[in-house]
Amino acid sequence: MASSSGPLNEELQCSICLDVFTDPVTTPCGHNFCRTCLNKCWTNTQTCFCPFCKETFSRKPDLKINTTLREVVQHFKEKLHLGESEVFCDICDRRKQKAVKSCLTCQSSYCETHLEPHHRVPRLKKHKLINAVENLEDYICQKHQRPLELFCRDDQTCVCLSCTEGDHRNHNTVPIEEESQQKKNQLVQTQTDVHQMIQNRMKKIQEIRHSAELRKREMEKEKSASVELFTDLIRSIERCQSELLKMMEEQQKAAEKQAEDLIKELQQEITDLKRRNTELEQLSHTDDHLHLIQMFSSLCSRPHTKNWTEISIDSDVDVYSMNKPLIQLEKALDGSLNEKIGQTGLKCVKFAVDVTLDPDTANPYLILSNDGKQVSHGDIKQDVPKNSKRFDFCCCVLAKQGFSSGIFYYEVQVKGKTEWILGVVRESINRKKTNTLSPKDGFWTVILRNENQYKAGENPSVTLFLKVKPEVVGVFVDYEEGLVSFYDVGSRSHIYSFTGQTFTDKLYPYFSPGLNDKGKNSNPLIITPVNK
């Protein structure tokens, strides 16, 4: 039936026997199979599962024939049957009877009645009979008018006995039944192979679905962890803000009390000075000379007051105290983020790829190792073939491997170098001129200059303040997410990330060891194995 399949046949085909359904049943997951095929599949197994989607069932389902589907299948089979042509007896005169056999020797078709002589007459018994066919001439050699009883394996064609005495003399010929059986066996093997291919692809579908589900679960965990992280950070910020405001209020209250005490003291001195001024006024107008002389020393001496010249409200804020919660917050932020980034960095390694340098792209001044894992700058221009892939001006080289989807990660040793550039670039960048190292021109890089000046290749560039000088740099790229991240592998800390990018070209790992600088920067960039 499978060989007679029309457009509808695939929908009415059992995925186990690959034929049109016989007594179709439906599993709880909604897939259909022949009842016999499914029962055979579940024989000698403790766990029942769907042969198509692999869903397992806690107990063996009570399978009932899907009557609606059976009727559709029956209607389909009847349509196929109606489409078959009928062969009638060549001997019947009046009412033609349906032929049951065709004789290749007589080249005629017979009903049951007119076939009788072929079963009785000795001469006719030797004739070659086959199931009744309409196109009988296709079974006859057109050259010799004899039955096509043999198959020539040399020419891969059916022949008659007379053909083996002429054009097919000394050819490898076998009875057509033998060749037919062999080809049937091949068809069975092919059918088995196709069935296995179907099963393999069904299994692959399950693997992909399982992988997608695992990724979804992992992403949910990451989301939850991120929410928890930033919730903790927000709490830390709120706590530090509360402590800072409290400290500021306490310092303000202390300043206000100081001002109040000083004002009281000043007002008291003013009162005392006013009283003395009154006494001096009175004494200056007295006619009592003796009293004036007696009081003169005490009233004309300098009053015992405080020297207010250097005294003022303390306007300086206690910066050290104020900075304490800020320092604590910075430590909390730095620790939490680095811990998170460290965990992310650890997960990068499962996306590690094997990267090797492409000598066809290397600037003529660059020296590559034989294994394609190291590159350094030489002082002599090498004689290399010219090609469109090579960088003529920039001292850089690309990897052989390019990526147009998915996630990849690799690590590069930069120990002992004073200059380098690492990252990824678009395949379509101009390699025959100098370029601006920015995403706009197809570059996503981190740069070291003058031994300790780190920058991210933005436009304009972003200065990076690294606490530790990296010795091995990890480069992580998520093509679909538009993310390029750089990590210090040794300290498990984050260096920089380009986020929200849109990639359309293939991306290639990019390496620039910097100039040799009279041997100061002679160490090579080394692509190192990723420790998983």
Side-chain angles (χ1 to χ4, degrees), residues 149-166:
E149 300 177 286
L150 301 171
F151 182 79
C152 177
R153 288 179 171 172
D154 292 344
D155 296 333
Q156 291 292 300
T157 185
C158 295
V159 296
C160 70
L161 196 59
S162 297
C163 292
T164 62
E165 298 171 358

Side-chain angles (χ1 to χ4, degrees), residues 296-309:
F296 180 81
S297 297
S298 59
L299 291 177
C300 286
S301 62
R302 185 175 181 81
H304 296 290
T305 58
K306 186 181 290 187
N307 183 4
W308 293 94
T309 305

Side-chain angles (χ1 to χ4, degrees), residues 190-205:
T190 302
Q191 187 180 22
T192 302
D193 294 342
V194 170
H195 181 66
Q196 186 59 49
M197 290 172 67
I198 292 171
Q199 296 300 319
N200 291 342
R201 279 151 182 76
M202 288 166 56
K203 183 179 178 182
K204 193 64 180 179
I205 288 172

